Amino acid sequence: MHELSIAEGIIEIVERTAKFSNVNRVKSVRIAVGELAGVDIDCLRFAWQSVTRQGCAQNAQLIIEQPPGKAWCMDCAQTVSLKRYGEACPICGGFHLTATGGTELKVIDIIADDSQ
């Protein structure tokens, strides 16, 4: 389950940022996981619960945005929606597609819990 290593990587970013910013508690973390990133969202949420049992992000909410998959079709020269790799172009049926969106996996922002 690579989602656990992804959650651990997110926590490393959160803890490093919190330490640099003198933040003791984190309220929420917002991330972008593109539709083509190959991440199981449910598994990532489960892994998040595991990696936030202690530390500055204990009980922090994970907010996940899911940018849609997009690709450039080299056959019909159009930008098209793409749900997963290996699908044909919905316009021309060609398979010469290059992903142009929905591949991201990044931390967007970290919200400190300033109630303490």
Side-chain angles (χ1 to χ4, degrees):
M1 174 163 99
H2 76 286
E3 284 77 6
L4 180 57
S5 61
I6 292 169
E8 289 170 339
I10 295 168
I11 280 297
E12 286 178 25
I13 292 167
V14 169
E15 289 176 347
R16 187 173 52 237
T17 302
K19 184 177 180 179
F20 180 78
S21 303
N22 294 317
V23 170
N24 294 321
R25 307 281 314 143
V26 173
K27 181 177 182 178
S28 66
V29 178
R30 186 167 52 120
I31 63 172
V33 180
E35 192 171 31
L36 299 176
V39 176
D40 184 312
I41 299 299
D42 290 333
C43 288
L44 180 58
R45 287 188 192 283
F46 182 78
W48 179 256
Q49 292 174 353
S50 176
V51 300
T52 57
R53 291 185 185 205
Q54 58 186 353
C56 68
Q58 186 175 7
N59 299 321
Q61 179 185 15
L62 182 64
I63 302 165
I64 302 174
E65 295 183 1
Q66 293 183 268
K70 295 207 177 290
W72 174 256
C73 178
M74 292 180 262
D75 294 333
C76 67
Q78 298 290 319
T79 297
V80 296
S81 294
L82 188 65
K83 296 285 182 197
R84 66 182 151 265
Y85 289 106
E87 289 185 345
C89 173
I91 296 174
C92 73
F95 286 93
H96 297 106
L97 300 165
T98 301
T100 59
T103 60
E104 54 271 69
L105 177 56
K106 63 182 178 180
V107 175
I108 298 172
D109 57 28
I110 301 165
I111 305 299
D113 184 353
D114 53 10
S115 64
Q116 297 193 7

